[in-house]
Amino acid sequence: MKNLCWMLLAFLAGSISALAGSVQVIEQGTLVKDGFHNAFPSIVEFDGAWYMSHRRATGHRRRDGMIPVYQSKDKGRSWQEVAVFRKESFDLRDPRLAVVNKQLTVYAGFTFIEPDGSSRHGVFAFRSRDGKKFKEFKVTGLTDSSFFWGCIPYKDGYVATAYRRINNDKEMQASLYRSKDGANWKPFVDFPAQNGNEVSMAVDKD
């Protein structure tokens, strides 16, 4: 059995190496370099164009995050800022882009500091039919203080990942949610608590 395991690992390593060898970087560039904290990018294709978003703030732990959205009509060679989301007294972060019900959708996590120094977390969401004019909409069904971390089509609706702090902030609880419209979510699966945060996902052809 041990020999078989080593053979399988060697086969997989060889396959990955061969695949990596067939991929070449032919072009690279910088979209944003303004001296601020630019992080947590998300990208999606919508209506024939590419859209990218990220968090913009004066620092990683600063509470002044905002969410810009860029559009590219030439497959990433040039970009134009089409929207910026900001909320007074809220730190916006971790934007996730998705196409939901034929609309470009931006989910953004937030942190808000209460007068007593405690913090609460949640999700703001915005959607657009043309990729330029966005309207805010309410997200329901996520467990309180959850950070949204992804949304993809799944069967006859959508599935999303989110995580939240538990046990006095000592652990993270990652969960899956399902929705028909991208706004109203229902719990699907909770994963064992762990020392981590961001969660991602993928689906196969089935």
Side-chain angles (χ1 to χ4, degrees):
M1 179 61 74
K2 184 181 294 186
N3 289 338
L4 177 60
C5 291
W6 279 112
M7 288 173 60
L8 288 173
L9 287 172
F11 172 76
L12 289 172
S15 300
I16 294 172
S17 177
L19 177 62
S22 66
V23 177
Q24 295 181 349
V25 177
I26 60 174
E27 201 171 337
Q28 67 181 27
T30 301
L31 171 60
V32 179
K33 190 176 181 180
D34 57 12
F36 294 119
H37 181 254
N38 303 308
F40 314 116
S42 180
I43 190 169
V44 72
E45 184 175 0
F46 171 73
D47 198 23
W50 290 2
Y51 289 83
M52 196 280 287
S53 183
H54 65 89
R55 176 181 186 254
R56 177 191 294 164
T58 56
H60 185 197
R61 298 296 182 184
R62 299 293 178 88
R63 303 296 188 181
D64 57 1
M66 62 185 71
I67 306 297
V69 178
Y70 305 86
Q71 179 197 68
S72 176
K73 294 184 177 181
D74 56 9
K75 297 186 177 180
R77 290 178 176 84
S78 62
W79 295 86
Q80 176 186 6
E81 187 175 276
V82 294
V84 179
F85 305 117
R86 55 171 63 87
K87 292 278 189 178
E88 187 176 354
S89 302
F90 287 86
D91 173 29
L92 301 187
R93 53 176 59 240
D94 306 345
R96 300 293 95 185
L97 299 185
V99 178
V100 179
N101 293 333
K102 299 182 180 180
Q103 296 184 75
L104 177 62
T105 305
V106 183
Y107 297 98
F110 73 76
T111 296
F112 180 80
I113 305 300
E114 302 285 2
D116 64 0
S118 63
S119 62
R120 60 183 173 91
H121 313 286
V123 179
F124 286 121
F126 312 85
R127 55 190 170 198
S128 171
R129 294 189 181 277
D130 62 5
K132 293 183 179 180
K133 297 178 181 178
F134 289 83
K135 290 184 178 181
E136 185 175 346
F137 68 96
K138 188 175 182 179
V139 173
T140 65
L142 301 181
T143 303
D144 288 344
S145 292
S146 290
F147 268 99
F148 200 94
W149 200 257
C151 173
I152 59 176
Y154 181 66
K155 294 187 177 180
D156 58 345
Y158 303 90
V159 63
T161 56
Y163 68 91
R164 62 190 176 94
R165 299 176 184 274
I166 60 174
N167 297 332
N168 294 321
D169 291 347
K170 294 179 180 179
E171 294 180 299
M172 297 288 187
Q173 176 73 65
S175 304
L176 287 181
Y177 295 85
R178 297 188 71 172
S179 174
K180 295 286 188 179
D181 58 9
N184 303 292
W185 296 89
K186 293 182 178 180
F188 185 25
V189 177
D190 286 332
F191 295 101
Q194 58 180 328
N195 183 17
N197 46 22
E198 291 90 350
V199 289
S200 190
M201 61 188 160
V203 297
D204 63 16
K205 62 184 179 61
D206 298 319

